[in-house]
Amino acid sequence: MIYREYGKTGKNVSVLGFGGMRFANPSDIDGSAEMLLHALNQGINYFDTAPGYCGDHSEDIFGAAVTEMKKLGKPFYLSTKSNKADGGEVRRELENSLKRLNVDCIDFYNCWYVLTMEDWAGRKKGGAVTAILKAQEEGLIKHPAFSTHLPGEDIRKVIEEDYFEGVTLGYSVINFPYREEGIKAATEHGKGVVVMNPLGGGTITQNPDTFDFIRVRPEQNNLDGALHFLMNNKDISVMLTGFRNKSDIDTAVASVDAYRPYTKEEVEEIRKHIDSDFNNLCTTCMYCNNCPVDIPVWKFVESANGLYYDADGSIADRLKYHWGTDISVLDLCTECRLCEDVCTQHLPILERFEELRSAIGDQ
Ligand code: SF4
Ligand code: SF4
């Protein structure tokens, strides 16, 4: 296992993190808890959960594992979250998480799921940020962080406000241009970076042919390609992978152990392919952030990618839960086609809107 410093916290975290959102049998609390022990024995020391994950069983599974994990005498770090804007509600969730996780202090606590800059303003106004910082002063939280789906430039703005010691963000070999700026900003300001969705929510491994270009060496499979590309970026502290069972853990650990640094040429090769092999897919580069009626075009076109390969979940859910929007926003479109003029992939964006409308109608 490879360990990296999480920002300036002095914590050495495993580059492969345990994401507690995909347990195969979450109602089997003890059986699932064994997976955390197994992971700790394999060198994983960063464990991420949240209220509500896996039918709200995930924090209980973590709590059941913690007592046994302490007995192993190896350092490990717990991360959980609150998505509430109201400070009082954050405090209640935090106290509940402490009880469920069976600890007096949570190592990393995320102001969770910051979707837009308006949302971020609401977290500050509602008292969520103050509540998290107060809990840190009281010793209930060690390191405050935030988790977000904002684009890179907005992540930079939140980082520069300097409330948090780290950021958790969605990032993968197939969407890296969208949040690269956020990772750069985190490093410039000494913050930790935890990457969620390193496998694009399973898309990369479920569609080996579409994403074949991420394998730069013959011995690699798509999982290796996805993880090794991220590991090659030293600014990333942890890649959070959602494990269903012990076998998923073993496979991911073996992949991390097989990592050898990429050459500059190999990285360039992947970057080039993002432009060329993705010729019918949106890369979330955000050049289309120029809509005169403020439609977040990239959110819709990226969601429409799911029509071209086997994606996890429904498109309506992706728009709602990942992007915080819905199809009715497209009613504002005047069909001026300014977005199509600047699209780096030359995508027929208005056609994609229509395809999205009918796909959502059918779901
Ligand atoms: S075509 Fe529609 S979505 Fe594209 S820039 Fe014009 S109004 Fe915005
Ligand atoms: S629609 Fe085109 S310009 Fe917009 S984010 Fe996707 S690839 Fe980039």
Side-chain angles (χ1 to χ4, degrees):
M1 184 55 62
I2 293 171
Y3 298 88
R4 293 189 173 164
E5 284 183 30
Y6 183 110
K8 291 185 178 155
T9 61
K11 301 289 188 312
N12 271 318
V13 290
S14 53
V15 73
L16 182 65
F18 189 115
M21 77 299 274
R22 285 188 193 266
F23 292 105
N25 296 306
S27 49
D28 174 8
I29 302 287
D30 291 336
S32 303
E34 274 179 32
M35 285 172 53
L36 278 83
L37 276 129
H38 182 71
L40 185 58
N41 277 323
Q42 303 272 348
I44 292 173
N45 72 6
Y46 187 94
F47 295 85
D48 178 80
T49 181
Y53 277 177
C54 291
D56 202 28
H57 292 305
S58 183
E59 282 195 327
D60 293 333
I61 294 168
F62 275 50
V66 158
T67 314
E68 292 305 310
M69 288 163 79
K70 283 179 183 163
K71 289 183 194 161
L72 291 179
K74 300 179 181 188
F76 64 89
Y77 306 107
L78 297 181
S79 156
T80 190
K81 327 179 173 87
S82 171
N83 60 6
K84 301 291 187 265
D86 177 81
E89 288 186 57
V90 170
R91 180 67 181 213
R92 274 191 291 284
E93 280 206 338
L94 166 64
E95 288 176 1
N96 202 26
S97 292
L98 284 163
K99 268 194 220 125
R100 296 177 78 188
L101 294 174
N102 224 347
V103 292
D104 301 324
C105 175
I106 290 164
D107 302 292
F108 295 94
Y109 197 77
N110 284 271
C111 185
W112 182 22
Y113 197 58
V114 176
L115 262 183
T116 60
M117 289 310 272
E118 293 71 41
D119 183 6
W120 170 235
R123 305 295 178 106
K124 289 184 284 185
K125 194 161 172 235
V129 176
T130 310
I132 290 173
L133 298 179
K134 182 165 178 282
Q136 185 190 22
E137 275 171 29
E138 294 171 46
L140 302 176
I141 291 171
K142 283 207 185 95
H143 307 293
F146 71 111
S147 110
T148 184
H149 292 277
L150 289 169
E153 288 74 16
D154 288 341
I155 292 174
R156 173 178 283 282
K157 289 179 197 153
V158 177
I159 283 173
E160 290 182 345
E161 291 185 49
D162 206 21
Y163 291 110
F164 301 120
E165 296 180 50
V167 57
T168 303
L169 46 81
Y171 191 73
S172 75
V173 62
I174 60 170
N175 80 354
F176 66 86
Y178 181 63
R179 296 208 173 89
E180 210 160 33
E181 188 61 24
I183 294 190
K184 276 192 204 145
T187 305
E188 281 166 32
H189 294 274
K191 313 291 184 189
V193 175
V194 176
V195 166
M196 53 185 165
N197 267 330
L199 308 180
T203 300
I204 296 172
T205 43
Q206 283 160 21
N207 297 273
D209 293 340
T210 310
F211 301 110
D212 188 54
F213 70 91
I214 66 172
R215 300 186 313 111
V216 292
R217 294 172 185 157
E219 69 276 15
Q220 289 180 312
N221 56 30
N222 274 34
L223 174 70
D224 299 331
L227 296 183
H228 296 177
F229 178 79
L230 298 180
M231 289 173 76
N232 210 59
N233 183 343
K234 298 283 187 305
D235 297 337
I236 293 173
S237 328
V238 178
M239 307 175 294
L240 273 186
T241 309
F243 299 125
R244 295 165 300 178
N245 48 42
K246 287 184 187 171
S247 159
D248 278 358
I249 297 170
D250 295 343
T251 307
V253 169
S255 177
V256 165
D257 287 346
Y259 168 73
R260 281 182 296 113
Y262 283 0
T263 60
K264 267 194 192 139
E265 291 72 29
E266 285 172 328
V267 174
E268 260 330 294
E269 192 63 17
I270 294 173
R271 285 183 177 270
K272 229 169 51 202
H273 278 294
I274 285 283
D275 293 332
S276 60
D277 284 14
F278 258 42
N279 52 13
N280 67 342
L281 298 179
C282 168
T283 60
T284 52
C285 67
M286 282 191 67
Y287 276 78
C288 55
N289 190 8
N290 66 339
C291 171
V293 292
D294 289 333
I295 293 174
V297 176
W298 66 96
K299 297 187 179 183
F300 293 94
V301 190
E302 189 277 345
S303 300
N305 280 353
L307 302 171
Y308 291 82
Y309 54 67
D310 186 13
D312 258 9
S314 81
I315 298 218
D317 281 355
R318 180 149 187 92
L319 282 173
K320 184 171 173 190
Y321 298 114
H322 181 82
W323 289 119
T325 187
D326 72 79
I327 195 79
S328 66
V329 172
L330 294 186
D331 295 344
L332 299 171
C333 178
T334 60
E335 304 191 357
C336 71
R337 294 188 188 267
L338 284 174
C339 53
E340 289 189 348
D341 291 346
V342 295
C343 179
T344 52
Q345 298 293 99
H346 309 294
L347 297 175
I349 292 175
L350 296 189
E351 262 177 48
R352 292 287 157 93
F353 288 172
E354 280 318 305
E355 287 165 2
L356 268 181
R357 283 191 173 103
S358 41
I360 286 175
D362 292 343
Q363 280 177 353

